[in-house]
Amino acid sequence: DNDWIKSQIAKLKIRRWDYKETDETHIGPTAEEFIDLFSVGIETDKQHLSTLDVAGVALKGVQAVIEENQELKEQNAALEQQYQELKELLTQVLERVEQLEQ
């Protein structure tokens, strides 16, 4: 579900972190939080995160945003059409009022 995936991604904290006893630095979610939010991976191993799961969530999130963007574009086009129709109608009304005042 697009709304669900977007809400879960929004909850996900992205952090900068280092592996213990190394100089290896990363940016991303913690495995435990990701597994808890998306119910993926191995329930008994919340220390490891599959890049496949992260990629899948990211791609589904992108698809959800693309779909939402398309819906908003369509809604915007419909509102633009209504605006143009109302603008034209207002122009006609103002012209009529001006004629009546003369």
Side-chain angles (χ1 to χ4, degrees), residues 7-82:
S7 72
Q8 296 303 90
I9 290 171
K11 293 177 192 174
L12 194 59
K13 292 176 182 68
I14 306 300
R15 299 176 175 92
R16 181 183 175 113
W17 47 275
D18 301 318
Y19 279 126
K20 293 178 182 177
E21 301 177 16
T22 72
D23 57 353
E24 193 175 336
T25 301
H26 298 276
I27 296 175
T30 62
E32 183 177 18
E33 183 182 20
F34 192 91
I35 291 166
D36 287 343
L37 280 173
F38 296 101
S39 301
V40 295
I42 301 170
E43 185 63 29
T44 58
D45 178 11
K46 292 192 176 184
Q47 293 183 343
H48 298 93
L49 189 55
S50 168
T51 56
L52 184 60
D53 291 330
V54 175
V57 167
L59 288 171
K60 180 60 179 167
V62 169
Q63 288 176 336
V65 170
I66 289 169
E67 184 177 310
E68 180 181 52
N69 187 48
Q70 183 59 39
E71 290 169 4
L72 290 171
K73 283 180 178 180
E74 291 169 7
Q75 183 182 32
N76 188 52
L79 289 170
E80 179 65 30
Q81 178 65 34
Q82 286 178 333

Side-chain angles (χ1 to χ4, degrees), residues 86-97:
L86 288 171
K87 185 177 171 183
E88 185 178 313
L89 182 60
L90 179 59
T91 300
Q92 291 172 5
V93 167
L94 290 173
E95 287 173 357
R96 181 71 176 136
V97 167

Side-chain angles (χ1 to χ4, degrees), residues 94-102:
L94 290 173
E95 287 173 357
R96 181 71 176 136
V97 167
E98 189 177 292
Q99 289 174 356
L100 293 173
E101 289 177 344
Q102 292 177 0

